[in-house]
Amino acid sequence: MYIDVKPLYTQIRSELLKRIEKLRREPKLVVVTYKPDSSTISYLRSQEKSAKRFGLDYEIIEGKTPQHVIKLLRSFSDDEEIDGIFVTHPLPDVDEMEVFENLDPRKDIEGRHPYNLGMLAYGEEFFAPCTAEAVIKILESYTEIIGKNVVIVGRSNTVGKPLSLMLLRRDRSATVTVCHTKTKNLSEFTKKADIVVAAAGRPELITKEMVKENAVVIDVGINVTENGIVGDVAKEVSDIAKVTPVPGGVGKITTVLLMEHLVKAAERINF
Amino acid sequence: MYIDVKPLYTQIRSELLKRIEKLRREPKLVVVTYKPDSSTISYLRSQEKSAKRFGLDYEIIEGKTPQHVIKLLRSFSDDEEIDGIFVTHPLPDVDEMEVFENLDPRKDIEGRHPYNLGMLAYGEEFFAPCTAEAVIKILESYTEIIGKNVVIVGRSNTVGKPLSLMLLRRDRSATVTVCHTKTKNLSEFTKKADIVVAAAGRPELITKEMVKENAVVIDVGINVTENGIVGDVAKEVSDIAKVTPVPGGVGKITTVLLMEHLVKAAERINF
C-alpha cells in the first residue's frame, strides 16, 4: 500500500497561500551558489518554478570567489529586504563553518545552521531541516508516534540526526534508533520497527524481508539510476507495508515546506 | 566488574595542568545564579573547590531579578577578562531561550547553548555537554565503539540527545538507540546492547536481567536516596557486566572536563 501525501500537501499549500496574502510585500528568497554543477542548476530551476507559483520573489546569485561568497552571505544576512537565504551545498573551496558564521540563523530557511539544529534539542523547530520536517508532518498526519519504535536508516545532518531529535520531543516520544553503513545486521533493527525511515541514499536498500508487516515506511531516497528515479525502498515493500512513494512523497512535502519557511521568516521580519 | 576511571582522570588532569601553566593569566570562570536552592549551593561549593585546586579564578554572582540575570550574562559575554560563564539551571522565572540569546557560545563551557549542541551534528565538539563528553572519553579509553549497538536510556539535553549525536560521528559510528519513559519494553532494547548508557535519573532502573553478559554499562545517574547516593544501575549488574561506579565514575570525569573547557576557552581568548 502507498501513503497518499496529497491531502497533506493541499492543506499546507492552502494555509500558506492565506499567510502570503496577509504579508505587506512579497517574501524574498536569495540563493547563493558557487560553481554550481548541472544537478544543482536543475534543482534550482525547479525550486524557482515552485517559488514563482507561490508568488515569491526569487533570485540566484553566484559568487565569484569563495571570499566573495562569504561577503555575499554577510551582506544578505544584514539586508532587511531579504527574508531567506538558501546556500547550495557543498560549495567547492568554501568552508562550511565559515558559511554558518556569516549566515544569520533567522534567515536559514533550510535549517542547516548549527543554532537551528541545536534548537531542535530544546523542542524549538522554527527552522528544522525541510526534509526531516516533511517526515514528521507525514507521520503526524498518518499515524500515532508516541511509544513507537522508529528506526532511521541514515545519519545525515539534513535527515537522520535532526529527525532523531525531533522524534524524541515529548509530544512525539518515539523510541529512536539511528542506523547507518557501520550498523551490523541492519535488518534486525528494521524488522522490529513500527516505523522505518529510509534516508541512506542507496537505491532499494530496504527490501520486503527487512520490514515488519503493516509497518509505516517513509522513503526519503531520491536516487537517479538507469531505471529512472528510485527511492531507498524496494517497490515490493508496499505489498506488506505502508510506504510513501518516490517521487511524489517526502519530496513533495519538502518543497512546499521550504516555501513555508520563507514565509515564516518574512512574517518575523515584516511584523 | 567495575570500570576504573582513575587512570583516565589522572591523564586528563596532568595534561590540563600543563596547559594551564602556559597561559598568560589565570582563566576566569563566572557563575551566574538566581535564587539558588540548597542543592545548587552545595554543588557550587564543590565546583569552587575543584576550580581552586586547578588554580582557576572563580566567582559566583547572584542576579537580583530575572532582568538583572540577563544583563549580567550580556556584560560577562562581552568582558574579555572572563573566559567562561556557568549558568545554574533551572533559573526560576528566567526564560532559557533568553539566556541563550545573551550568552556568548564561545564562553558556554557547559555546552548547553543551541549553537554548541548543533555543532555536535557537524562533528565539532568544541564545547560538548561535559557529562556526555565524559561518557565518550570513558568509552574511548575502554572499548571499541565502531559498529557497536549502544542503547542510551534518557533523552536529556545534557546527556541523551548530545551523546547520541556524538556517538554517530564517523570516527565512532555506533548504532544508537535513545530510550525513555515512553519506551515500551525497555529491557528488549537494553538486553541486546553492547553498551548501555543509563542516564534516566532513576535509582537502580537498570537491573541484571536487563543487561547482556559482558556488556559495558555507563552509569550517569546521581540519585540522592535514603541509602545515600546511588546510580541508575543496580549494584548486582556488576556481577555480569562492566559498570562505571557511582560515585567516582562519570561524575569524576565530568568535573575535570568542565575545568578543561574553561582552559580551552581561555586559550582561545588569550592567544
Side-chain angles (χ1 to χ4, degrees):
Chain A
M1 211 202 109
Y2 279 103
I3 296 173
D4 182 10
V5 306
K6 279 185 217 91
L8 175 63
Y9 174 82
T10 307
Q11 185 206 326
I12 297 174
R13 187 177 170 279
S14 73
E15 282 170 13
L16 188 55
L17 288 171
K18 278 183 223 153
R19 284 163 62 191
I20 293 172
E21 265 178 38
K22 283 189 197 145
L23 289 171
R24 275 189 250 156
R25 61 163 174 80
E26 266 180 22
K28 176 157 189 171
L29 170 57
V30 167
V31 175
V32 176
T33 187
Y34 177 58
K35 294 186 182 171
D37 57 19
S38 62
S39 80
T40 301
I41 291 171
S42 94
Y43 174 75
L44 292 180
R45 226 168 261 157
S46 96
Q47 191 180 69
E48 180 166 18
K49 260 189 221 161
S50 160
K52 294 277 149 85
R53 217 176 293 136
F54 281 101
L56 306 172
D57 195 346
Y58 186 92
E59 194 174 351
I60 299 172
I61 313 242
E62 197 181 333
K64 291 187 192 88
T65 61
Q67 293 73 28
H68 186 224
V69 167
I70 297 299
K71 228 175 123 181
L72 287 172
L73 288 174
R74 213 176 311 140
S75 95
F76 296 154
S77 287
D78 291 339
D79 184 344
E80 291 209 348
E81 299 292 303
I82 290 167
D83 301 294
I85 301 170
F86 183 97
V87 187
T88 66
H89 40 87
L91 285 181
D93 309 319
V94 181
D95 178 50
E96 195 165 31
M97 292 302 135
E98 216 185 327
V99 167
F100 295 138
E101 276 161 30
N102 292 283
L103 171 65
D104 186 338
R106 288 168 299 185
K107 297 188 179 183
D108 166 43
I109 56 170
E110 285 184 279
R112 287 177 52 83
H113 193 289
Y115 181 79
N116 288 319
L117 282 180
M119 287 295 261
L120 302 179
Y122 287 95
E124 299 282 339
E125 300 174 359
F126 194 84
F127 288 139
C130 299
T131 310
E133 192 177 344
V135 175
I136 291 283
K137 295 264 184 213
I138 293 171
L139 287 175
E140 286 184 332
S141 75
Y142 192 76
T143 186
E144 182 58 57
I145 304 177
I146 294 176
K148 290 288 172 70
N149 179 2
V150 181
V151 172
I152 302 169
V153 186
R155 56 175 149 174
S156 68
N157 290 337
T158 49
V159 190
K161 286 180 204 152
L163 183 58
S164 73
L165 297 175
M166 294 166 85
L167 285 166
L168 289 168
R169 204 169 80 165
R170 288 194 181 267
D171 56 337
R172 300 189 187 115
S173 283
T175 300
V176 183
T177 301
V178 181
C179 298
H180 44 75
T181 43
K182 297 284 186 234
T183 296
K184 290 170 189 159
N185 305 318
L186 175 61
S187 64
E188 272 189 30
F189 291 93
T190 55
K191 245 186 220 163
K192 294 225 171 67
D194 303 308
I195 297 168
V196 175
V197 180
R202 285 173 61 192
E204 301 178 337
L205 171 69
I206 306 296
T207 58
K208 208 164 157 176
E209 297 68 41
M210 294 170 73
V211 171
K212 170 163 99 171
E213 225 169 294
N214 256 320
V216 171
V217 181
I218 308 293
D219 190 350
V220 180
I222 300 180
N223 305 291
V224 182
T225 71
E226 287 175 356
N227 308 317
I229 287 174
V230 301
D232 284 4
V233 178
K235 283 236 173 323
E236 51 178 41
V237 176
S238 66
D239 296 344
I240 60 152
K242 302 160 201 153
V243 187
T244 59
V246 173
V250 173
K252 198 176 171 71
I253 305 297
T254 301
T255 310
V256 67
L257 286 177
L258 186 72
M259 300 304 141
E260 198 269 341
H261 285 187
L262 179 66
V263 172
K264 218 172 169 182
E267 285 168 346
R268 176 145 71 176
I269 291 176
N270 282 334
F271 291 98
Chain B
M1 208 202 112
Y2 278 104
I3 296 172
D4 182 9
V5 306
K6 278 186 219 92
L8 175 62
Y9 174 83
T10 308
Q11 185 206 327
I12 296 174
R13 188 179 169 279
S14 73
E15 282 169 15
L16 188 54
L17 288 170
K18 279 183 220 154
R19 284 163 62 191
I20 293 172
E21 265 179 37
K22 285 189 195 144
L23 290 170
R24 274 188 250 154
R25 62 164 173 79
E26 266 181 23
K28 175 156 190 171
L29 170 57
V30 167
V31 175
V32 176
T33 189
Y34 177 57
K35 294 185 180 169
D37 57 18
S38 62
S39 81
T40 301
I41 291 171
S42 94
Y43 174 74
L44 292 180
R45 225 168 262 156
S46 97
Q47 192 180 67
E48 180 166 18
K49 259 190 222 161
S50 161
K52 294 275 150 83
R53 216 177 295 135
F54 282 102
L56 306 172
D57 194 347
Y58 186 92
E59 193 174 351
I60 299 172
I61 315 245
E62 197 182 332
K64 291 188 193 85
T65 62
Q67 293 74 28
H68 186 224
V69 167
I70 297 299
K71 227 175 123 180
L72 287 172
L73 288 174
R74 212 174 313 139
S75 95
F76 296 155
S77 286
D78 291 339
D79 185 345
E80 291 209 349
E81 299 292 303
I82 290 167
D83 301 295
I85 302 170
F86 183 97
V87 187
T88 66
H89 40 88
L91 286 181
D93 309 317
V94 181
D95 178 50
E96 195 165 33
M97 292 303 136
E98 217 185 328
V99 167
F100 295 138
E101 276 161 29
N102 293 284
L103 172 65
D104 185 339
R106 288 168 298 186
K107 297 187 179 183
D108 166 43
I109 57 170
E110 283 183 280
R112 286 178 53 83
H113 194 288
Y115 182 79
N116 288 320
L117 282 180
M119 287 297 261
L120 302 179
Y122 287 95
E124 299 282 338
E125 300 173 359
F126 194 83
F127 288 138
C130 299
T131 310
E133 192 176 342
V135 175
I136 290 283
K137 296 262 185 216
I138 293 171
L139 286 175
E140 286 185 333
S141 75
Y142 191 76
T143 185
E144 182 56 59
I145 304 177
I146 293 177
K148 289 287 171 71
N149 179 3
V150 181
V151 172
I152 303 168
V153 185
R155 54 173 151 175
S156 68
N157 291 337
T158 49
V159 190
K161 286 180 203 153
L163 183 58
S164 73
L165 297 175
M166 294 167 85
L167 285 166
L168 289 168
R169 204 170 82 165
R170 288 194 181 268
D171 57 337
R172 300 188 188 116
S173 282
T175 299
V176 183
T177 301
V178 181
C179 298
H180 45 77
T181 43
K182 297 285 186 231
T183 295
K184 290 170 189 160
N185 304 317
L186 176 61
S187 64
E188 273 189 28
F189 291 93
T190 55
K191 244 185 219 165
K192 294 226 170 68
D194 304 307
I195 297 167
V196 175
V197 180
R202 285 173 61 191
E204 301 179 338
L205 171 70
I206 306 296
T207 58
K208 208 165 159 177
E209 296 69 40
M210 295 171 71
V211 170
K212 172 163 98 172
E213 225 169 293
N214 256 319
V216 172
V217 180
I218 309 293
D219 191 351
V220 179
I222 300 180
N223 305 291
V224 182
T225 71
E226 288 175 356
N227 308 318
I229 287 175
V230 301
D232 284 3
V233 178
K235 283 237 170 330
E236 50 178 42
V237 176
S238 65
D239 296 345
I240 59 151
K242 302 157 200 155
V243 187
T244 59
V246 173
V250 173
K252 198 176 169 72
I253 305 297
T254 301
T255 310
V256 67
L257 285 178
L258 187 73
M259 300 304 142
E260 197 269 342
H261 285 187
L262 179 67
V263 172
K264 219 171 169 181
E267 286 169 343
R268 175 145 72 174
I269 291 175
N270 283 333
F271 291 98

